[in-house]
């Protein structure tokens, strides 16, 4: 028997030395709560009782926080300084919100300390298409590559931070969440959403935080955080039904039923969708079901729970060669290619308002699922003999527990809010490669297991005085990765194991100033990192020297909004310095190289306007423009642009609502600049369609709808829309897969009914 062998690699960054001024301020500010407690104790000894903020009423539950955002219960004692929790979106929308709280789902506070965008329920309901693209179109800096036409495998990149060698690579450089719970199958070892367990029909609102979230959200969010919010539990017994169809034979059915009775509330949601997309071999069936509950144990204790299941069975049209694309962009030359994925998810949260100024939360969640790609070789196997179908199952289990506390306090004329927490998260990842041959036999090529043991601790202290808010913080991460070979297909690898350890300290500092009720400024600097992922770790006798990827993120910006809504602006400048970039070799599957460092910098501008104050009641318009420069700054690709990172992005929209009748009409569009498909910056598209410069494209959509309330109980919504109305011929190039055509013109129809019993 081959003797047992272990290879151990240890890596520790010391970012604290890189930013002594940040840590000095953090040390001072984080000590403030202890001083405040001492002052309060002296006041108590003198017989003076500090003023206390009110508890939220039990009959009107407040929306809760994201897992690492402060809760909404503790409020600042100084009425001139609103508490930061009001600036944050809830983790689980518990019950229907009054209009003033509904607005926080679509408006970013003037003094929010970072670039951010919110897409509220009204905009989601009137979107031309229930898709990732339509949901995030209003956010500057966001670029999406579609892979399936059914939204099951989104490739999202923010601020030009792509994988480098082949584009967005299923959203590995940003954090994606649903109701504050991570969406990635394994946030550390498999952060890319090769399984995206959320149907967009369930999305009620979206919060896109492009900067300032490192301390709260942890690793793999160097370019930002996207939090999808699902429908709230209704206060009254309510039934929502919606059916949607388009001219590509795609159909979706959404149903939700729920109510709140006394201390208990529940909402059951279901999505069933199927279709053919616009390409051959694009058939799919997707199902997503969820149960959300809330129990008010007392006026100060609440228990929230969600259970979800997701199933995706999709054929994959896959990429085309250049000749095949020119001959017929709707065809598929990969008839055996398909995707199968499923996941069960559960999360539980306990909220305890210890007193008027302190809230304790205990959050735990677990995922259990699997996803498998079945890809034929050669890729163009409809026109060449099929050699085999390669199956890559990835059973993954993830579990986490996270206690955290928020405390609001006074210190002289300032208000402080301390937030601290810890998290233990464990991942169990199996990576198998199997080959299925035309004669019915199967061969196991490799099977490896990766266990991730991670511990996090964070502390953040917001200090508010006059019109300033200064928030230092620091997050500590420890990651241990144990990998071992589970197959006996290679005698030299039997019993081989690999262990890697990473310890990181990630400081952060944000500053915001409210110049007036209509104008705010912000700036920030934060550190973030990404541990090596399971596919980047090689279990061999000569393993690659893979380091953790590490980045500093800087941004500054201005936000304005007039009281009458006539003009709102958000201007931000950003720079991201990224070290030890791990990129996939475009010519070798599952081989990664250290491409050195990179820089991502640019300018984002968002404008929106409600023209009612100008005499055009019901007319709203918006536009965003982003300039991004994403380049390698050393290594083999020094000076080259990143793959899949357009220099220019723009979007726009206009809508008119006739309030008396509920009729509305609108149009929107998006412009995407040219981008390379590989780190070598190949300009000419090769014959395989796997390399080359992707040209610019511009897509326009139009829609018309009717929202009518027949009574206090029944509401009907009708929508008809046209997508790509000018028949733009566009495509994406994916390294190693080929050309992915963009969707031609199509029409969509939707009917929705909401009834309250």
């Amino acid at each position: 028997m081959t003797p047992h062998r272990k290879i151990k690699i240890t890596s520790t960054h010391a970012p604290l030395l890189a930013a002594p001024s940040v840590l000095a301020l953090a040390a001072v500010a984080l000590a403030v709560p202890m001083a405040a407690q001492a002052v309060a104790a002296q006041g108590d000894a003198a017989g003076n009782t500090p003023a206390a903020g009110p508890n939220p009423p039990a009959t009107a539950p407040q929306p809760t926080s994201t897992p690492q955002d402060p809760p909404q219960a503790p409020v600042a004692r100084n009425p001139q300084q609103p508490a930061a929790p009001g600036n944050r979106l809830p983790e689980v929308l518990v019950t229907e919100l009054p209009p003033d709280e509904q607005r926080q789902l679509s408006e970013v506070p003037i003094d929010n300390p970072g670039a951010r965008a919110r897409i509220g329920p009204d905009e989601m309901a009137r979107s031309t298409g229930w898709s990732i693209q339509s949901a995030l179109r209003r956010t500057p800096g966001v670029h999406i590559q579609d892979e399936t036409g059914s939204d099951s495998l989104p490739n999202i990149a923010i601020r030009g931070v792509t994988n480098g060698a082949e584009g967005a690579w299923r959203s590995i450089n940003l954090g994606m969440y649903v109701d504050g719970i991570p969406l990635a199958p394994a946030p550390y070892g498999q952060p890319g959403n090769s399984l995206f367990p959320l149907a967009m029909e369930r999305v009620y609102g979206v919060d896109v935080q492009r900067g300032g979230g490192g301390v709260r959200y942890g690793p793999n969010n160097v370019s930002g955080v996207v939090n999808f919010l699902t429908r709230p539990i209704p206060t009254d017994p309510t039934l929502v039904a919606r059916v949607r169809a388009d001219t590509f034979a795609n159909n979706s059915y959404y149903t939700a039923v729920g109510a709140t009775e006394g201390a208990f509330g529940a909402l059951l949601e279901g999505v069933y969708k199927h279709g053919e997309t616009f390409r051959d071999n694009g058939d799919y069936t997707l199902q997503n079901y969820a149960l959300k509950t809330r129990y008010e144990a007392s006026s100060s204790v609440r228990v929230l729970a969600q259970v979800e299941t997701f199933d995706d069975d999709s054929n994959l049209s896959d990429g085309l060669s250049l000749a095949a694309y020119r001959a017929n962009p709707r065809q598929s030359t990969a008839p055996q290619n398909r995707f199968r994925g499923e996941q069960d998810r559960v999360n539980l949260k306990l909220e305890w308002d210890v007193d008027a100024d302190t809230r304790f939360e205990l959050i735990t969640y677990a995922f259990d699922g699997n996803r498998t790609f079945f890809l034929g070789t050669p890729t163009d196997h409809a026109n060449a003999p099929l050699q085999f179908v390669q199956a890559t199952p990835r059973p993954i289990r993830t579990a986490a527990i996270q206690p955290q506390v928020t405390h609001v306090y006074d210190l002289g004329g300032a208000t402080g809010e301390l937030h601290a927490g810890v998290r233990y998260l464990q991942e169990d990842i199996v990576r198998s490669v199997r080959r299925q041959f035309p004669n019915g036999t199967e061969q196991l090529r490799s099977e490896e297991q990766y266990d991730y043991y991670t511990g996090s601790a964070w502390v953040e202290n917001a200090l508010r005085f006059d019109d300033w808010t200064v928030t230092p913080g620091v997050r500590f991460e420890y990651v241990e990765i144990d990998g071992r070979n589970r197959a006996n297909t290679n005698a030299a690898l039997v019993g081989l194991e690999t262990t890697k350890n990473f310890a990181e300290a990630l400081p952060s500092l944000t500053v915001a100033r409210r110049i007036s009720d209509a104008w705010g400024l912000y700036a920030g600097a934060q550190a973030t990192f990404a541990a090596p992922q399971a596919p980047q770790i090689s279990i061999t006798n000569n393993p690659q020297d893979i380091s953790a990827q590490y980045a500093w993120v800087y941004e500054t910006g201005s936000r304005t909004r007039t009281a009458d809504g006539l003009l709102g602006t958000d201007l931000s400048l950003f720079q991201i310095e990224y070290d030890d970039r791990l990129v996939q070799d475009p010519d070798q599957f599952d081989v990664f190289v250290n491409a050195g460092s990179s820089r991502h910098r640019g300018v984002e501008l968002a404008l929106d306007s409600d023209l009612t104050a100008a005499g055009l009641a019901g007319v709203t318009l918006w536009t965003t423009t982003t300039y991004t420069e994403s380049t390698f700054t050393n290594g083999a690709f020094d000076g080259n642009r990143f793959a899949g990172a357009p220099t220019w992005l723009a979007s726009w929209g206009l809508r008119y609502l006739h309030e008396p009748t509920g009729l509305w009409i609108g149009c929107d569009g998006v412009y995407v600049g040219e981008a390379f498909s590989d780190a070598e910056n190949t300009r000419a598209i090769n014959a395989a369609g796997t390399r080359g410069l992707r040209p610019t494209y511009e897509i326009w959509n139009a829609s018309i709808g009717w929202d009518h309330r027949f009574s206090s109980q029944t509401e009907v919504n009708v929508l008809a829309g046209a997508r790509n109305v000018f028949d733009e011929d566009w495509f994406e190039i994916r390294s190693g897969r080929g050309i992915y055509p963009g969707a031609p013109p199509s029409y969509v129809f939707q009917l929705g009914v909401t009834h309250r019993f």
Side-chain angles (χ1 to χ4, degrees), residues 186-224:
Y188 289 83
Q190 194 81 26
N193 283 267
S194 57
L195 175 64
F196 184 75
L198 175 67
M200 289 303 295
E201 285 80 355
R202 291 184 55 216
V203 176
Y204 187 72
V206 187
D207 180 23
V208 183
Q209 185 168 300
R210 302 189 301 280
V215 170
R216 297 298 180 91
Y217 288 93
N220 298 312
N221 63 0
V222 62
S223 63

Coordinates of all heavy atoms in Angstrom, one line a residue, residues 186-224:
A186 N -21.2 27.0 -1.4 CA -20.2 27.0 -0.4 C -19.5 28.3 -0.4 O -18.7 28.5 -1.3 CB -19.2 25.8 -0.5
P187 N -19.7 29.2 0.5 CA -19.2 30.6 0.4 C -17.7 30.7 0.3 O -17.2 31.7 -0.2 CB -19.7 31.3 1.7 CG -21.0 30.5 2.0 CD -20.7 29.1 1.6
Y188 N -17.0 29.7 0.8 CA -15.5 29.8 0.8 C -15.0 28.9 -0.3 O -14.2 29.3 -1.2 CB -14.9 29.3 2.1 CG -15.1 30.3 3.2 CD1 -16.3 30.4 4.0 CD2 -14.1 31.2 3.6 CE1 -16.4 31.3 5.0 CE2 -14.2 32.1 4.6 CZ -15.4 32.1 5.3 OH -15.6 33.0 6.3
G189 N -15.4 27.6 -0.3 CA -14.8 26.6 -1.3 C -15.4 26.6 -2.6 O -14.7 26.1 -3.6
Q190 N -16.6 27.0 -2.8 CA -17.3 27.0 -4.1 C -18.2 28.3 -4.2 O -19.4 28.2 -4.3 CB -18.2 25.8 -4.2 CG -18.7 25.5 -5.6 CD -17.7 24.8 -6.5 OE1 -16.8 24.1 -6.0 NE2 -17.8 24.9 -7.8
P191 N -17.6 29.5 -4.1 CA -18.3 30.7 -4.1 C -19.0 31.0 -5.4 O -20.0 31.8 -5.4 CB -17.3 31.8 -3.7 CG -16.0 31.2 -4.2 CD -16.1 29.7 -4.1
G192 N -18.6 30.5 -6.5 CA -19.2 30.7 -7.8 C -20.6 30.1 -7.8 O -20.8 28.9 -7.3
N193 N -21.6 30.8 -8.3 CA -23.0 30.2 -8.3 C -23.2 29.3 -9.5 O -24.1 29.6 -10.4 CB -24.0 31.4 -8.3 CG -24.1 32.0 -6.9 OD1 -24.9 31.6 -6.1 ND2 -23.2 32.9 -6.6
S194 N -22.4 28.2 -9.6 CA -22.7 27.2 -10.6 C -24.0 26.5 -10.3 O -24.6 25.8 -11.1 CB -21.6 26.2 -10.7 OG -21.3 25.6 -9.5
L195 N -24.5 26.7 -9.1 CA -25.9 26.4 -8.7 C -26.5 27.7 -8.1 O -26.0 28.2 -7.0 CB -26.0 25.3 -7.7 CG -27.3 24.9 -7.1 CD1 -28.3 24.4 -8.2 CD2 -27.2 23.9 -6.0
F196 N -27.5 28.2 -8.7 CA -28.1 29.5 -8.3 C -29.5 29.2 -7.8 O -30.5 29.1 -8.6 CB -28.2 30.5 -9.4 CG -28.7 31.8 -9.1 CD1 -27.9 32.7 -8.4 CD2 -30.0 32.2 -9.5 CE1 -28.4 34.0 -8.0 CE2 -30.4 33.5 -9.1 CZ -29.7 34.4 -8.4
P197 N -29.7 28.9 -6.5 CA -30.9 28.3 -6.0 C -32.0 29.3 -5.7 O -32.6 29.3 -4.6 CB -30.5 27.6 -4.7 CG -29.4 28.5 -4.2 CD -28.7 29.0 -5.4
L198 N -32.4 30.1 -6.6 CA -33.4 31.1 -6.4 C -34.1 31.4 -7.8 O -33.4 31.8 -8.7 CB -32.8 32.4 -5.9 CG -33.8 33.6 -5.7 CD1 -34.8 33.3 -4.6 CD2 -33.0 34.9 -5.4
A199 N -35.4 31.3 -7.8 CA -36.2 31.7 -9.0 C -36.5 33.2 -8.8 O -36.9 33.7 -7.8 CB -37.5 30.9 -9.1
M200 N -36.2 34.0 -9.9 CA -36.4 35.4 -9.8 C -37.9 35.8 -9.6 O -38.1 36.9 -9.2 CB -35.9 36.1 -11.1 CG -34.3 36.0 -11.2 SD -33.5 36.8 -9.8 CE -34.0 38.5 -10.0
E201 N -38.8 35.0 -9.9 CA -40.2 35.3 -9.6 C -40.4 35.5 -8.1 O -41.4 36.2 -7.8 CB -41.1 34.1 -10.1 CG -41.3 34.0 -11.6 CD -40.1 33.4 -12.3 OE1 -39.1 33.1 -11.7 OE2 -40.2 33.2 -13.5
R202 N -39.6 35.0 -7.2 CA -39.8 35.2 -5.8 C -39.2 36.5 -5.3 O -39.4 36.9 -4.2 CB -39.1 34.1 -5.0 CG -39.8 32.7 -5.2 CD -39.1 31.7 -4.3 NE -39.0 32.1 -2.9 CZ -38.0 31.9 -2.1 NH1 -37.0 31.2 -2.5 NH2 -38.1 32.3 -0.8
V203 N -38.4 37.2 -6.2 CA -37.7 38.4 -5.7 C -38.7 39.6 -5.6 O -39.4 39.9 -6.5 CB -36.6 38.7 -6.7 CG1 -35.9 40.0 -6.2 CG2 -35.5 37.6 -6.7
Y204 N -38.7 40.2 -4.4 CA -39.5 41.3 -4.1 C -38.8 42.7 -4.2 O -39.4 43.7 -4.5 CB -40.0 41.1 -2.7 CG -41.1 42.1 -2.2 CD1 -42.4 42.0 -2.7 CD2 -40.8 43.0 -1.2 CE1 -43.4 42.9 -2.2 CE2 -41.8 43.9 -0.7 CZ -43.1 43.8 -1.2 OH -44.0 44.7 -0.7
G205 N -37.5 42.6 -3.9 CA -36.7 43.8 -4.0 C -35.2 43.4 -4.0 O -34.9 42.2 -3.7
V206 N -34.3 44.3 -4.4 CA -32.9 44.0 -4.5 C -32.1 45.1 -3.9 O -32.4 46.3 -4.1 CB -32.4 43.8 -6.0 CG1 -31.0 43.3 -6.0 CG2 -33.3 42.8 -6.7
D207 N -31.1 44.8 -3.1 CA -30.2 45.7 -2.5 C -28.8 45.4 -3.0 O -28.3 44.3 -2.8 CB -30.2 45.6 -1.0 CG -29.3 46.6 -0.3 OD1 -28.9 47.6 -0.9 OD2 -28.9 46.3 0.9
V208 N -28.2 46.4 -3.7 CA -26.8 46.2 -4.3 C -25.9 47.2 -3.6 O -26.0 48.4 -3.8 CB -26.8 46.4 -5.8 CG1 -25.5 46.2 -6.4 CG2 -27.9 45.6 -6.5
Q209 N -25.0 46.6 -2.8 CA -24.0 47.4 -2.0 C -22.7 47.2 -2.7 O -22.1 46.1 -2.6 CB -24.0 47.0 -0.6 CG -23.1 47.8 0.3 CD -23.4 47.5 1.8 OE1 -24.5 47.7 2.3 NE2 -22.3 47.1 2.5
R210 N -22.2 48.2 -3.4 CA -21.0 48.1 -4.2 C -19.7 48.3 -3.4 O -18.6 48.1 -3.9 CB -21.0 49.0 -5.4 CG -22.2 48.7 -6.3 CD -22.2 49.4 -7.6 NE -22.1 50.9 -7.5 CZ -23.1 51.7 -7.3 NH1 -24.3 51.2 -7.1 NH2 -22.9 53.0 -7.2
G211 N -19.8 48.8 -2.2 CA -18.6 49.1 -1.4 C -19.0 49.1 0.1 O -20.1 49.4 0.5
G212 N -18.0 48.9 0.9 CA -18.2 49.1 2.4 C -18.8 47.9 3.1 O -19.2 48.0 4.2
G213 N -18.8 46.7 2.5 CA -19.5 45.6 3.2 C -18.5 44.5 3.6 O -19.0 43.4 4.0
G214 N -17.2 44.7 3.6 CA -16.3 43.7 3.9 C -16.3 43.2 5.3 O -16.3 42.0 5.6
V215 N -16.5 44.1 6.3 CA -16.5 43.6 7.7 C -17.8 42.8 8.0 O -17.7 41.8 8.7 CB -16.4 44.9 8.6 CG1 -16.7 44.5 10.1 CG2 -15.0 45.5 8.5
R216 N -18.9 43.3 7.5 CA -20.2 42.6 7.8 C -20.3 41.3 7.0 O -20.8 40.3 7.5 CB -21.3 43.5 7.4 CG -21.4 44.8 8.3 CD -21.5 44.4 9.7 NE -21.6 45.7 10.5 CZ -22.7 46.3 10.8 NH1 -23.8 45.9 10.4 NH2 -22.6 47.4 11.6
Y217 N -19.9 41.2 5.8 CA -20.2 40.1 4.9 C -19.1 39.1 4.7 O -19.3 38.0 4.2 CB -20.7 40.6 3.6 CG -22.1 41.2 3.6 CD1 -22.3 42.5 3.8 CD2 -23.2 40.4 3.5 CE1 -23.5 43.1 3.8 CE2 -24.5 40.9 3.6 CZ -24.7 42.3 3.8 OH -25.9 42.8 3.8
G218 N -17.9 39.5 5.1 CA -16.8 38.5 5.0 C -16.2 38.4 3.6 O -16.2 39.4 2.9
P219 N -15.6 37.3 3.2 CA -14.8 37.1 2.1 C -15.6 37.0 0.8 O -16.8 37.0 0.8 CB -14.0 35.8 2.3 CG -15.0 35.0 3.1 CD -15.7 36.0 4.0
N220 N -14.8 37.1 -0.4 CA -15.4 36.9 -1.7 C -16.5 37.9 -2.0 O -17.4 37.7 -2.7 CB -16.1 35.5 -1.8 CG -15.0 34.4 -1.7 OD1 -14.0 34.4 -2.3 ND2 -15.3 33.4 -0.8
N221 N -16.2 39.2 -1.6 CA -17.1 40.2 -1.9 C -16.4 41.5 -2.3 O -16.8 42.6 -2.0 CB -18.1 40.5 -0.8 CG -17.4 41.0 0.5 OD1 -16.2 41.2 0.5 ND2 -18.1 41.3 1.5
V222 N -15.2 41.3 -3.0 CA -14.3 42.4 -3.3 C -15.0 43.5 -4.1 O -14.7 44.7 -4.0 CB -13.1 41.9 -4.0 CG1 -13.4 41.2 -5.3 CG2 -12.1 43.0 -4.2
S223 N -16.0 43.1 -4.9 CA -16.6 44.1 -5.8 C -18.0 44.5 -5.3 O -18.7 45.4 -5.9 CB -16.8 43.6 -7.2 OG -17.6 42.4 -7.3
G224 N -18.5 43.8 -4.2 CA -19.8 44.3 -3.7 C -20.7 43.1 -3.2 O -20.2 41.9 -3.2

